[in-house]
């Protein structure tokens, strides 16, 4: 790890002076290399799959792990897409001329060295590396042990491409030790790693947040709510809820809980249930929800705090917008929440008071995503408030630096 | 602390909907209250001073602790100054219209609940509280035990003013338990405190960074360098170095180390020493620095990593700009560094490669300060890279929220 740290600092210094054109050439070279090395990457991936089957990984896990030529082509296309995005570094964000003649420029610059600790899917190895490269950051990647052969092959391919176009290959480094110890060491690399981004399940993220002395961007879990206001269009509500709950159940922006105004629940909940029944979604509600609609099972206090990632949804009945906001701010993970309403005043109050990264009026929570927001790429969705909140694109992989031009000024 | 947490969350919800005018009225009321309560604050301060004398605090510490009517008037004026600054919340930073008709607004919003852990100077109690209030953040203040009577009196005065104009007084809360335990509890208040800002000495900051699971903004220490390039104007160099080292020795933006090009050191160092001699600054240099100038004492490796905060400065001799940059990036705390040069190319390279919050050409490092940068106010100087870097003003006390306006869109 010491060698890795030294290499990362040298790569950071190298990246401080590369131009946009140089970076884009390197990204093209990486896309070509991944295509050229597809067969060897696939054969390394087969080893991971075999070990995974022996270890009894679920079908879903194995599918996420699997690479074929189509998926590698998708990765290469994604790399080329990143090359086309504009350079987030070197943007003059502010320019101040002081009465004493000092000129102060606030400029976007790379963060420096970024550490990514992630699980299973090997495409993250390429996706994260090229976003860091485009933003002139050196990256230290530490994937999971299930994907180690695939990750090693992908990293070798990318590093070869970097060397081939005059780049320090250590701009992209992979930690091949997949023990818990290597992750713990990364969390203590203050002075080397400037920012640590965990990507994966709740357990991984919790462990990084609790143990890291390096600044962390928490990505993550989404216990997302949809509030059906008294004035909601019921068809629209049912349609949005069906989409937000069932379009993809395993994602962080899926809806996990409904909050429904008592004045509309008797009409709204049966209509919503009729839609959710199409996919056999289990509905767990409080007493009033159970009374309002047949087939609603009882919800416990615990249900309201649960991100199911499954065909299950909870329902809370409220008597006011105020009660809805309080319930949501108590149980949400501050990811995405929506109000369905025809009342503009209520919409405005909901937008203002709900303390989440993305707050919707009359739309599905499933839109919280870098691509859907038009950011071009995404390295994660931040559920914390410092530095980045919501979908994180290239801009969020930069920091600022003040450049001050003087002619001998003293204080 | 549980009560404090509950109160902070309620105050956060209250602050989510207050207007700029309401906040400014509250700030005026706070300024008036502090003036009206000056005598009782001063008499509480006397208790702290007495205990401090008994405990053997240094004259410098006692001076920092002391409040008189002049200092309270300064605090009140600072509060009024904050009232005049523009509101950092509610600024639309970006507006995206998507092909599916969704309108996405990225808006600046309060962070929520901010915790400040600080030492000695009681003016921080008011300064930090009003910056948080102006940015619609609830604040939990935890000052040092030396200032507890003063802090309690100041907080009571401010809270009274808040109540008087219809505000939840818990927008400003002071932790009266000054044990280490109360600070540790704040560091674990995830879900309540959104951001923790330590202000004080190295030990305090290190402890918060290492123990907090709440996101932290590291403020702080400055091992600031000035590099005298081969092409430097020697008079300008001596003048800037004299200012940066001696104008105020105990501050984080004071210069602690010189890096001098070997091609100019024989001329430059004697001239620099002549100026520094005026204030009896001790110079500790490497062998070439000692050879270049009489009276330079030997420096150890440890000297280059030391923030003296004293009339001492270290000198490193280098043969190139590249070596200077490497030395600085190795030893600096990423606060403020300067190059003295007449060579524009070297200036540009130094600005680009030195990895610090504020990098100067031909000016004193002492300018790294919210006031000097024209930010209007400052809650600290961040030496980390996430969220805020360099002097932090009101804007850095906000985060963003995405507001998404739909008409039934689903994915």
């Amino acid at each position: 790890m010491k060698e890795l740290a030294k290499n990362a600092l040298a790569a950071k210094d190298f990246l401080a002076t590369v131009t946009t054109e140089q970076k884009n050439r390197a990204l093209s070279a990486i896309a070509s290399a991944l295509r050229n090395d597809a067969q060897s990457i696939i054969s390394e991936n087969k080893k991971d799959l075999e070990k995974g089957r022996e270890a009894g990984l679920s079908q879903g896990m194995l599918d996420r792990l699997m690479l074929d030529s189509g998926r590698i082509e998708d990765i290469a296309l994604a790399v080329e897409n990143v090359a086309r995005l504009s350079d987030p570094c070197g943007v003059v964000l502010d320019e101040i001329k002081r009465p004493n003649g000092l000129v102060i420029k606030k400029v976007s610059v790379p963060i420096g060295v970024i550490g990514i600790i992630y699980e299973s899917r090997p495409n993250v190895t390429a996706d994260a590396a090229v976003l860091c490269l485009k933003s002139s950051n050196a990256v230290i990647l530490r994937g999971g042990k299930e994907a180690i052969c695939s990750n090693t092959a992908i990293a070798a391919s990318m590093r070869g491409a970097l060397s081939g176009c005059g780049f320090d290959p250590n701009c992209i480094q992979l930690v091949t030790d997949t023990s818990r110890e290597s992750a713990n060491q990364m969390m203590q690399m203050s002075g080397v790693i400037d920012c640590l981004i965990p990507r994966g399940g709740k357990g991984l993220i919790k462990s990084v947040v609790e143990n890291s002395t390096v600044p962390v961007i928490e990505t993550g879990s989404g216990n997302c709510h949809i509030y059906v206001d008294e004035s909601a269009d019921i068809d629209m509500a049912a349609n949005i809820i069906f989409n937000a709950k069932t379009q993809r159940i395993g994602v962080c922006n899926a809806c996990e809980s409904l909050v429904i105004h008592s004045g509309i629940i008797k009409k709204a909940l049966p209509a919503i249930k009729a839609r959710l029944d199409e996919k056999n979604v289990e509905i767990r509600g409080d007493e009033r929800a159970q009374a309002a609609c047949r087939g609603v099972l009882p919800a416990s206090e615990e249900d309201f705090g649960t991100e199911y990632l499954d065909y299950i949804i909870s329902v809370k009945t409220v008597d006011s917008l105020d009660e809805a906001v309080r319930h949501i701010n108590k149980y949400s993970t501050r990811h995405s929440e929506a109000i369905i309403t025809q009342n503009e005043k209520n919409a405005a109050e909901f937008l203002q008071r709900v303390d989440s990264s993305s707050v919707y009026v009359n739309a599905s929570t499933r839109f919280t995503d870098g691509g859907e927001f038009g950011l071009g790429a995404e390295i994660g969705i931040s559920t914390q408030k410092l530095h980045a909140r919501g979908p994180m694109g290239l801009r969020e992989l930069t920091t600022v630096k003040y450049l001050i031009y003087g002619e001998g000024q003293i204080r």
Side-chain angles (χ1 to χ4, degrees), chain A:
Chain A
M1 296 297 277
K2 270 198 182 158
E3 192 64 22
L4 212 84
K6 211 182 118 198
N7 292 343
L9 290 175
K12 174 176 88 164
D13 188 34
F14 168 81
L15 285 167
T17 56
V18 296
T19 64
T20 307
E21 291 66 35
Q22 289 172 312
K23 290 190 284 186
N24 290 343
R25 269 203 298 277
L27 290 166
S28 296
I30 286 175
S32 302
L34 290 171
R35 287 193 179 101
N36 289 336
D37 298 335
Q39 282 320 310
S40 61
I41 293 170
I42 290 169
S43 80
E44 289 302 305
N45 180 249
K46 287 213 171 99
K47 296 182 191 167
D48 286 332
L49 287 171
E50 202 160 315
K51 267 189 296 172
R53 264 181 231 108
E54 282 167 20
L57 291 190
S58 71
Q59 204 48 48
M61 290 276 275
L62 289 170
D63 180 62
R64 265 176 285 176
L65 190 53
M66 191 269 288
L67 291 175
D68 55 20
S69 50
R71 287 192 177 177
I72 290 176
E73 177 57 24
D74 285 345
I75 294 174
L77 288 171
V79 175
E80 287 168 341
N81 178 43
V82 170
R84 278 189 295 271
L85 297 175
S86 53
D87 193 334
C89 301
V91 181
V92 179
L93 302 166
D94 226 336
E95 185 163 342
I96 311 157
K97 178 140 189 177
R98 298 292 301 159
N100 60 7
L102 283 180
V103 174
I104 304 176
K105 287 188 190 175
K106 185 179 183 181
V107 180
S108 68
V109 298
I111 289 177
V113 179
I114 294 180
I116 317 245
I117 301 182
Y118 56 106
E119 290 170 337
S120 64
R121 292 186 306 150
N123 63 309
V124 174
T125 307
D127 290 351
V130 301
L131 286 171
C132 289
L133 186 66
K134 179 79 190 203
S135 49
S136 301
N137 290 293
V139 69
I140 299 178
L141 299 160
R142 196 271 191 197
K145 67 172 187 304
E146 333 69 63
I148 183 66
C149 297
S150 318
N151 289 340
T152 304
I154 292 170
S157 176
M158 294 192 292
R159 285 167 57 89
L162 288 177
S163 297
C165 49
F167 269 56
D168 182 343
N170 292 323
C171 295
I172 300 173
Q173 292 189 95
L174 179 77
V175 179
T176 50
D177 170 5
T178 57
S179 68
R180 184 179 287 257
E181 187 45 36
S182 72
N184 287 340
Q185 281 180 331
M186 282 176 76
M187 298 178 207
Q188 306 301 323
M189 281 166 84
S190 303
V192 177
I193 297 182
D194 295 292
C195 166
L196 206 52
I197 306 177
R199 282 185 58 167
K202 223 171 168 175
L204 168 69
I205 290 164
K206 189 161 178 277
S207 152
V208 174
V209 168
E210 287 181 358
N211 298 313
S212 182
T213 57
V214 172
V216 171
I217 296 181
E218 193 173 344
T219 64
S221 53
N223 186 23
C224 304
H225 295 74
I226 295 180
Y227 168 55
V228 182
D229 191 30
E230 196 171 10
S231 71
D233 173 327
I234 291 177
D235 281 347
M236 186 196 281
N239 202 30
I240 287 174
I241 291 163
F242 179 73
N243 178 262
K245 178 70 252 179
T246 70
Q247 196 234 354
R248 223 174 129 192
I249 57 160
V251 291
C252 60
N253 55 19
C255 175
E256 305 290 5
S257 190
L258 301 179
V259 181
I260 308 183
H261 194 285
S262 56
I264 198 176
I265 192 164
K266 280 184 192 157
K267 276 194 200 167
L269 193 49
I272 293 164
K273 184 166 185 303
R275 285 302 304 276
L276 293 176
D277 280 348
E278 293 172 28
K279 298 241 179 170
N280 296 314
V281 177
E282 181 180 321
I283 303 180
R284 300 183 187 170
D286 58 14
E287 286 187 9
R288 289 197 281 175
Q290 293 169 57
C293 179
R294 255 169 209 266
V296 171
L297 302 175
S300 68
E301 175 74 13
E302 206 190 328
D303 277 296
F304 296 116
T306 299
E307 184 185 8
Y308 299 114
L309 300 172
D310 201 349
Y311 289 99
I312 309 172
I313 198 165
S314 66
V315 182
K316 164 79 179 173
T317 313
V318 296
D319 291 320
S320 66
L321 175 65
D322 178 70
E323 194 186 346
V325 169
R326 285 172 192 272
H327 175 84
I328 291 170
N329 282 343
K330 179 169 177 192
Y331 290 101
S332 94
T333 53
R334 300 178 180 173
H335 191 297
S336 301
E337 331 291 336
I339 181 173
I340 315 298
T341 187
Q342 298 298 319
N343 180 320
E344 280 187 27
K345 209 173 137 277
N346 288 358
E349 184 176 342
F350 189 85
L351 289 173
Q352 196 163 24
R353 290 182 58 197
V354 168
D355 185 25
S356 298
S357 89
S358 307
V359 190
Y360 293 80
V361 178
N362 296 334
S364 171
T365 54
R366 287 280 291 119
F367 288 108
T368 305
D369 171 273
E372 295 294 332
F373 275 19
L375 304 185
E378 178 191 289
I379 197 149
I381 295 175
S382 164
T383 50
Q384 67 174 40
K385 294 182 177 178
L386 295 189
H387 189 73
R389 194 179 193 202
M392 295 169 59
L394 284 170
R395 201 195 310 191
E396 284 72 25
L397 293 175
T398 66
T399 180
V400 298
K401 193 189 216 175
Y402 288 94
L403 309 179
I404 304 103
Y405 300 84
E407 297 156 316
Q409 281 87 342
I410 59 170
R411 213 175 142 179

